[in-house]
Each structure stands twice: as C-alpha cells, then as structure tokens.
Amino acid sequence: MRTAAKCFLLICAVAASGVAQSPQAPPPAAPSALAQVIDRIITQENQLSKSIARYHPLVETYIQHVKPDRELGAVPEKDEYFLGKLNLAGGIDDHSLLSAPSLPAKSLKFFNRFFSIRFLPSGFAQMALVDEAGFDRQHYDFEYVRREFLGEVRAVVFDVKPKKGSGAGRFLGRIWAEDQDYHIVRFNGTYGPTTSYRHYFHFDSWRVNMGPNLWLPAYVYTEESDFRYLKVRSLRFKGQTRIWGYDLKQGSREDEFTKIVVDAQNPVRDQSDTPADLAPVGGLRAWERLAEENVLQRLEKAGLLAPEGEVDKILTTVVNNIQVTNNIDIQPEVRARVLLTTPLESLTVGHTIVISRGLLDVLPDEASLAMVLTHELAHILLGHRLDTKFAFDDRMLFADEQTFKRLGFRHDAKDEAAADQKALALLENSPYKGKTAAAGLFLKALSAQAGGLPALIRPHMGNRMADGKTVSRMAQLMNSAPQLETARKEQIAALPLGGRVKVDPWSCRVMMLRNKPVALLSAREKLSFEVTPFLPYLTRQSTTEQVAAAGAVGAVANTGAATGNGGGATDQFKTSGSDHDSQGSTETTMAATEARPATPAAPPKQ
Ligand SMILES: [Zn+2]
C-alpha cells in the first residue's frame, strides 16, 4: 500500500501542474450543502453506470513497456495493443487489471473480442467508471479538497477513500466533479486493496461533455514505474486508452435521405451529365468507385474511419501538390481519409488514401507526410486496384468485429517495391524535392525503435512500414538522411503519439491540434513514438454550438502540458531546422499546408 500511495501522489503532483487552480478556495458551502453536493455526485455517477450500457463505443488501449535508458530516461522495449467494442451491460465482474504472461486473460465477458487481446482489456475498460457497484456513502469517505478549473470547466475536488471492510476493487484517489450538474469529469488513483492474486494499476481517467447533461468516458492514462507482481516480477509501463464512437450512425446516408423532397409537379430527373450508359472504361471506373464507397462507408460505420473533414483537406492538398507538379490528372479524383486507430499504417482503397491517426501523429513534417501519401498515390497510378468484389453489397454485411478479417488492402512485395520506385520519382518532381531528409530521418528513427514497438508497427489493413528493425517503406530515403542522434534534443526525428490529431469521441470527427511549439529541456522530452499522459482541455457544449464545441472537447494536450512544458515540436509539421539544411523554412506547419492553394508553386527548377 505504501508504494501505491507514493505512485498516486506522484501522479497527482504531475497532473496538477498543468491546470489552473483558484488560490485559497474556500469550501463551496456549509457542511450540509457539501453533503448535498456529495449526494448529487453519487447519484450522477450511479446513473452513468446504468446509462453507459446503451453505448457501444470503440475502446483502444496501447501500452508501452519501458526500460531505463541512460540518454533518454526510459525507452519502450515492447508494447501491447488491443481494440474492442465496449460492452458494459451486465456489470463488470472482474476487477483484475493484470494479465501477466503467466496469467491467461480469463474474463472477457464484457469486452467483445475484436482483434488481438493479450493484456486484459476489461481492466482498462473498468477505468471508465469509478465503481459500478457500490459508489455510495456506505462504502466511501469523501473529503473536500478545493475548487479547480479543468480547461473551461470549474470542478469541485474530493479525495475518496473506501471505508474499512468495504470489499475488493474499491476506488482510492481523487475525483473532480463539474459544479453545475455534478458529473464526475476526472478521477485519478487506483483500485484496492491489492492482494497476491489481484493487482490494480494507477490511472487518470477523463470524461468529455458530449451533450446536455452528458459526460462520457473518453481518455484513460495508465502508468506504473515499479509495479511488483508475483512477489518478484516488476512491470514498468505506460498506456493510453481512448474511447470513441458513442454516436455511430450509418455513415452520412441518413442525412441524405431526409433531404429528398418529393414534388409531383416536377418529377425527379437524374442530374448527372452522363447522357447514356457508361462506356466500358467509364463503367469499370464507376464499378471500382462503388467498391471503394462500400468499403469506406463500412469502415466509417464501424467507427474506424473518421467522417470526411478538415484533416482530409490538408492531406488532399499535399496529394494535389504532387499531382500538379507531375502533370497527373487522375479520374475519379484522389481523396484522403483518416483511420482512427493508433498503429502506424497507410493504405489505398480504390482512389482513396487512408492514413492512420497514429502515423499522422508521429510524422515530423510535411515532407514526411508527402512521403507516405506519395507511396499510396503511386499504387493508384500503377493500377494496383481494389478488389471489385467489394462492389457487391453482401460483402459488407458482417459484424464490426470481423472488419479486419474481411477487409484487407495489402500489396505483395513486388507491388510495394514498384510503388516505392514510382513514389521516389514523383517526389523528385514535386515541391518536396530536396526536403525529404526529414522523411529519411523519420525512417531511421523507425528502424532504431521498431524492435521495441512490434504492436505499433503491426498494421490492421495495410502493408507494414517496417518488419522488425528493417524499414520496408521508401527505405532509399534513409540514404540521404543525416545521422540519427537520439541524444541531441534539437534533432526531432519522430513525434510522440497523440500530439497532432484529436478525435471527437462522440462523432469521430478528427481535428488538428494547434499547440505552440516549445523548446525541449532535454532529449528525454523528445518521446519519439511514445505515449504520454492525457490532459484534455474540458469545455461545456452549449446546445446551439454542439458542433463547434465538439472540436474543443477532444483537445488532448500534448506531453508538454502535462509535464509543465510545451512538449516540443508536437503540433508543427516541421523539423528542427538546423538539422536539415535542405529543410529550409521551418514554417511548413499543418496550417500552412491547409492554406496553400491546390495549385502549388512553380515546379522546382532543374
Ligand atoms: Zn504500399
């Protein structure tokens, strides 16, 4: 218990440094009013425990086991990943959060198996609720601490301790409840008591306002620096759990349907400019586009693909830059979308390039993004087609859990090599010519760390970027890259996970984070490919501004905010200029990319 308390205090101290606190805040009211506040918090939490069963969002947990490192403090040595659908109906019956290699994952009852499960995912889902059975005055003591702002939301803070003899799996830690309706918006601590066969991790769990009177779990950060189990074994790890897709619909089709207006006076006429049946080539293209649309809609419906949005436009701009300078005109036009998962991957579905959120996060600059997108563009140009079997609707009729078994978009080694060659040629004749040193450096960093990150580099549907320590994507770019210097803080080869893209957990919309870059104190803050604590900037959704507010609620602060500094070049699509003289301007931010006209500047001079 002593160790547990120590960890808890440490986490609190770190977390508290990033939030505004009102000095010398008096208790909110007289004892009786305080008692009422506690009662309301208890009521709201127990209502959430019941109502959450109606939602089935996706839950993704990514864990990195770390080992001490002389230069970087700690580095990942292996990782774990799982993705599933949350199913909290029927209660949680297994509080154990540990599935050590010697302990089989025995209870997956409330977690529908989705892809791969090796840790015990139910343990991480558990951290979405304080205590689904017994969060009340009979089981807990509450002690008022202070008022505090979490983002825009003012919260009352309590320390919560289980009463003696109140049983296993009780929460011990601190809760933050917003001061209008008294929903718990954050809780931080652990469960207990730990026994020889039950182990509990420390966690920091956050909820987000997703509508009037609706605060739902969205982020959980877990960390242990010296977790002992089975007497002698020790775990050091950190992990992120993300929950999204509370409002999964059938794509955008429902909206479309409501827009159909029946007007008997003016019979509906097909507005398309095709005067007659399609010619064979046109027919084939339409058929392929149908398969593409089917796949995209199915992925969106499963909550795996973000709805079309602002990030897609940024990606498309980069793709257009490549096409225009190479005099390419692809019909139907090339589009881009974001896969919401963490593992690093990109793929092509027909003429749509898909890039994962995790990969977008870690790419250091626009030229590196161009490298990834150009490889996929090359597949399209080379006619590496989507299997048109997906044009048949019945192929889309499967359970969400089957998605990655049914939909695969991998190319063979020959096509991969051909796409790499073509992509290099395209980049040579693009605005990114001479700027690919950072992309090569990124691949070097990937090569250096991939051995410790097997789960991060294992794609769901696309081709691998690296196989073990061997980079299998655009590896030629590494030849022109500078030497990788992990100990030098100025050289940012890859960014941490979670620093660039935020996901609205209700609608699955993705947005770019726009944090100010802050100089790093040491190489320990580079955190390439690493997970970092969550510190969302909480806001309330007004009923009139649902969409706008949705943008802010998902705002996960980067590492820096949680540790009291800026976290480096997280938001900027730039590298530290001094490292790559070829990089030139360091102003290639995401915002700049977005603002750039689709027609790029003059082609590079030869
Ligand atoms: Zn490929």
Side-chain angles (χ1 to χ4, degrees):
M1 261 345 251
R2 193 163 292 275
T3 313
K6 214 168 152 188
C7 287
F8 167 56
L9 287 174
L10 181 68
I11 290 173
C12 269
V14 167
S17 66
V19 292
Q21 293 169 21
S22 48
Q24 300 139 7
S32 61
L34 198 62
Q36 284 176 17
V37 166
I38 294 169
D39 285 341
R40 288 193 67 181
I41 292 172
I42 289 172
T43 306
Q44 293 286 21
E45 183 63 17
N46 288 326
Q47 271 174 10
L48 174 68
S49 293
K50 286 187 200 117
S51 63
I52 199 170
R54 86 170 82 114
Y55 300 104
H56 301 285
L58 291 172
V59 185
E60 181 193 62
T61 297
Y62 177 57
I63 297 159
Q64 291 179 333
H65 298 259
V66 295
K67 63 178 179 190
D69 182 88
R70 191 176 289 273
E71 284 167 348
L72 300 173
V75 292
E77 62 174 342
K78 62 172 180 166
D79 59 355
E80 312 254 359
Y81 177 83
F82 39 81
L83 176 65
K85 288 212 124 188
L86 187 66
N87 180 9
L88 290 169
I92 298 166
D93 65 346
D94 187 348
H95 290 248
S96 169
L97 303 185
L98 181 71
S99 171
S102 55
L103 300 173
K106 56 180 194 256
S107 173
L108 303 173
K109 186 177 159 192
F110 66 99
F111 208 104
N112 298 336
R113 193 181 166 96
F114 209 83
F115 308 110
S116 66
I117 296 171
R118 285 176 294 163
F119 242 61
L120 194 60
S122 56
F124 294 91
Q126 154 88 56
M127 296 174 190
L129 296 172
V130 178
D131 183 345
E132 85 294 343
F135 186 68
D136 51 36
R137 285 173 182 280
Q138 286 76 56
H139 294 90
Y140 288 97
D141 288 323
F142 296 79
E143 187 185 331
Y144 176 76
V145 180
R146 61 170 177 260
R147 285 181 201 266
E148 184 177 313
F149 277 94
L150 299 175
E152 289 175 17
V153 175
R154 194 169 63 173
V156 288
V157 186
F158 288 88
D159 279 340
V160 176
K161 289 179 200 147
K163 285 187 194 290
K164 260 207 166 116
S166 57
R170 297 294 175 203
F171 173 72
L172 172 69
R174 182 162 286 192
I175 61 170
W176 285 252
E178 48 83 25
D179 68 355
Q180 285 184 11
D181 303 307
Y182 297 100
H183 295 94
I184 294 175
V185 295
R186 177 189 187 187
F187 54 107
N188 171 315
T190 188
Y191 296 108
T194 293
T195 65
S196 53
Y197 58 95
R198 275 174 192 259
H199 301 270
Y200 304 96
F201 299 151
H202 286 84
F203 59 89
D204 191 16
S205 185
W206 291 80
R207 292 167 182 172
V208 158
N209 187 213
M210 302 192 201
N213 212 26
L214 188 64
W215 291 82
L216 294 169
Y219 310 105
V220 183
Y221 178 69
T222 325
E223 180 183 284
E224 292 292 345
S225 52
D226 184 18
F227 187 88
R228 301 205 172 271
Y229 65 102
L230 300 178
K231 299 262 195 281
V232 290
R233 306 185 74 168
S234 176
L235 264 184
R236 284 165 63 95
F237 73 90
K238 50 186 182 174
Q240 289 183 340
T241 296
R242 296 161 184 269
I243 307 174
W244 73 83
Y246 283 95
D247 186 36
L248 290 178
K249 291 195 190 107
Q250 319 292 309
S252 56
R253 293 284 139 149
E254 285 178 358
D255 292 347
E256 236 168 70
F257 199 65
T258 58
K259 284 178 195 151
I260 292 176
V261 179
V262 179
D263 187 342
Q265 302 295 321
N266 300 297
V268 178
R269 296 190 66 172
D270 188 348
Q271 298 291 314
S272 70
D273 51 11
T274 311
D277 293 341
L278 290 160
V281 173
L284 176 64
R285 284 180 179 178
W287 185 242
E288 286 173 344
R289 196 66 155 184
L290 179 62
E292 179 180 331
E293 293 289 351
N294 277 348
V295 170
L296 296 175
Q297 280 169 24
R298 187 66 191 86
L299 288 173
E300 195 176 323
K301 190 177 161 220
L304 292 163
L305 195 71
E308 287 175 69
E310 62 162 77
V311 178
D312 303 344
K313 289 187 191 132
I314 295 169
L315 303 175
T316 311
T317 303
V318 175
V319 175
N320 284 345
N321 287 344
I322 308 276
Q323 291 186 83
V324 174
T325 41
N326 282 280
N327 288 319
I328 298 166
D329 178 26
I330 297 175
Q331 293 300 330
E333 82 280 5
V334 177
R335 306 176 292 190
R337 299 287 290 273
V338 178
L339 191 70
L340 290 163
T341 46
T342 295
L344 312 183
E345 66 182 306
S346 63
L347 51 115
T348 307
V349 181
H351 284 194
T352 299
I353 297 170
V354 177
I355 181 167
S356 70
R357 177 188 53 74
L359 182 53
L360 266 179
D361 271 342
V362 297
L363 288 171
D365 70 348
E366 186 178 330
S368 314
L369 177 63
M371 163 190 75
V372 171
L373 297 174
T374 308
H375 172 91
E376 301 302 336
L377 182 66
H379 278 304
I380 296 172
L381 277 170
L382 293 169
H384 299 161
R385 288 210 171 90
L386 173 67
D387 193 331
T388 46
K389 70 181 181 184
F390 298 126
F392 294 101
D393 275 310
D394 61 286
R395 308 236 191 233
M396 297 299 126
L397 301 177
F398 50 80
D400 288 353
E401 289 82 350
Q402 296 284 314
T403 305
F404 296 153
K405 286 195 190 84
R406 299 297 189 97
L407 303 179
F409 307 97
R410 292 191 178 88
H411 299 285
D412 61 24
K414 214 174 129 205
D415 282 359
E416 280 298 288
D420 274 355
Q421 285 310 318
K422 182 75 182 170
L424 289 171
L426 293 172
L427 284 171
E428 267 301 296
N429 197 27
S430 82
Y432 306 103
K433 175 188 165 68
K435 294 183 178 177
T436 53
L441 190 62
F442 169 81
L443 294 175
K444 279 188 174 177
L446 183 66
S447 168
Q449 286 192 251
L453 303 168
L456 187 65
I457 61 169
R458 187 182 305 121
H460 288 306
M461 295 184 287
N463 281 89
R464 285 177 164 275
M465 292 194 72
D467 205 346
K469 290 183 175 181
T470 310
V471 167
S472 45
R473 178 80 51 90
M474 306 287 276
Q476 295 94 324
L477 287 177
M478 291 196 286
N479 299 333
S480 57
Q483 198 178 352
L484 184 67
E485 295 172 274
T486 44
R488 212 157 72 77
K489 67 177 182 183
E490 289 79 15
Q491 189 189 60
I492 307 289
L495 302 183
L497 289 163
R500 198 189 287 287
V501 183
K502 62 187 176 187
V503 179
D504 174 36
W506 180 257
S507 66
C508 297
R509 293 197 178 280
V510 288
M511 290 139 283
M512 284 293 168
L513 284 163
R514 298 188 203 284
N515 300 328
K516 281 185 195 153
V518 173
L520 302 182
L521 288 174
S522 74
R524 291 185 175 205
E525 292 178 334
K526 288 174 26 168
L527 297 165
S528 302
F529 302 110
E530 291 187 40
V531 298
T532 57
F534 291 115
L535 204 76
Y537 185 86
L538 297 186
T539 56
R540 289 180 193 280
Q541 283 196 23
S542 69
T543 44
T544 50
E545 280 181 59
Q546 294 251 337
V547 177
V553 290
V556 181
N558 63 36
T559 344
T563 49
N565 68 71
T570 34
D571 179 43
Q572 309 280 0
F573 243 145
K574 70 164 199 174
T575 52
S576 46
S578 58
D579 272 284
H580 326 286
D581 10 307
S582 56
Q583 192 59 33
S585 165
T586 56
E587 297 304 306
T588 45
T589 63
M590 274 301 217
T593 311
E594 193 177 15
R596 178 182 296 187
T599 45
K605 293 178 195 113
Q606 286 300 83

